[in-house]
Amino acid sequence: MRPMIHRAIASRQRGVVLVVALIFLLLLTILAISASGRSLLQERMVGGLRNAQLAEQAAESAVRGAEWTLWASTSNTAAAPLVCGTGVLAGNCYVYDPGNTALYGASGTVTKFRTSAAWTTTGAAVYKGPAGSVDFTKTGAKLAQNPAYMIEDLGVELPPGVTGSLHESGATGSTGTGYASSSRHIYRITARATGASANTMRVVESTFAAKSN
C-alpha cells in the first residue's frame, strides 16, 4: 500500500504546481495588458501633442505670411494704397463693420471663420508658403488641410484716447522713406490650421499696422 500512497501524494503535488503556474501566468498576462494599455495611451498623447504643435505652427506661419504680404505690398506713394477687395487684398479682406450682418452676424462670413469649431475656408485665402506653391498636405508635415487666413481692416491707427483726423503716420512699408509717407491702418489677421489630423485645429490672430493711403 505504501507505494500507492506515495504516488497519490506526488500526483497531488503536481496538481498544485500546475495551479500555481496558471496563477502566475494569469498575473503576467494582466501585467502585460496593463503595460500595453499604458504604452498605447502614451503614444496617443504624444500624437495629440504633435498634432497640436503642427496646427499651432501652421497657423503662425499663415499669420506671418499675411503680415509679409501687407508689409511688402505697401509703398510711400498714394498711387497704390492697400484697399480691401483689391490687389493683394482681393477676396480675403473685409472692412470692419459690426453692423454688416453678412460678415459679422452670428453666422456671418468673418464670425464663422474666427469662431467656428468646424473647418472652414469660406471668404479666406489658402496659405501655400511665400511663393504660393507649397501644398502642406503633401509635403513637410503633411497637414490634413492647408492653412487659411483672413484679413480685416479695422480702420486708421489712432493714438490712445484720440478721435477725429489726428492719426499715426510714418514709413511702414518695404519702400517707405519718410515720416509723411502714409497714414496707417490696423489690420487684424486671423489664421486657422490643422495638424496631421483634421480633428486638431488652431486659430491664431494678430494685429498689424500698414499703410492704407
Side-chain angles (χ1 to χ4, degrees):
M1 295 296 292
R2 289 182 181 178
M4 294 179 61
I5 292 173
H6 287 306
R7 282 197 294 271
I9 293 173
S11 178
R12 286 197 298 272
Q13 289 175 343
R14 285 195 294 270
V16 171
V17 171
L18 178 60
V19 172
V20 172
L22 289 173
I23 291 173
F24 275 103
L25 180 61
L26 177 61
L27 292 175
L28 290 173
T29 302
I30 293 173
L31 290 174
I33 293 173
S34 178
S36 176
R38 284 196 298 271
S39 296
L40 290 173
L41 177 60
Q42 290 174 353
E43 184 177 356
R44 289 173 182 172
M45 291 173 63
V46 170
L49 180 60
R50 177 178 181 273
N51 276 323
Q53 290 176 338
L54 286 175
E56 187 84 17
Q57 292 169 1
E60 288 282 357
S61 295
V63 166
R64 300 298 168 249
E67 290 177 349
W68 168 256
T69 297
L70 291 172
W71 183 81
S73 301
T74 57
S75 70
N76 62 348
T77 66
L82 283 175
V83 178
C84 275
T86 65
V88 296
L89 300 184
N92 69 316
C93 181
Y94 307 92
V95 176
Y96 179 72
D97 179 8
N100 187 338
T101 56
L103 296 177
Y104 292 95
S107 58
T109 301
V110 176
T111 301
K112 286 181 67 176
F113 185 79
R114 295 182 63 214
T115 63
S116 175
W119 180 255
T120 177
T121 58
T122 302
V126 176
Y127 180 69
K128 292 189 174 183
S133 59
V134 180
D135 187 347
F136 294 105
T137 66
K138 297 179 180 179
T139 61
K142 294 186 178 180
L143 305 177
Q145 300 284 348
N146 281 303
Y149 67 90
M150 180 179 286
I151 300 174
E152 299 168 78
D153 185 347
L154 303 183
V156 177
E157 181 180 11
L158 300 174
V162 173
T163 59
S165 60
L166 183 63
H167 61 274
E168 300 283 358
S169 65
T172 59
S174 57
T175 58
T177 58
Y179 68 91
S181 66
S182 67
S183 61
R184 300 189 301 183
H185 279 212
I186 297 296
Y187 295 89
R188 178 165 60 193
I189 303 167
T190 305
R192 59 170 53 229
T194 66
S197 168
N199 294 324
T200 304
M201 284 188 293
R202 289 293 183 272
V203 178
V204 175
E205 287 189 347
S206 75
T207 53
F208 190 81
K211 175 187 174 182
S212 178
N213 49 48

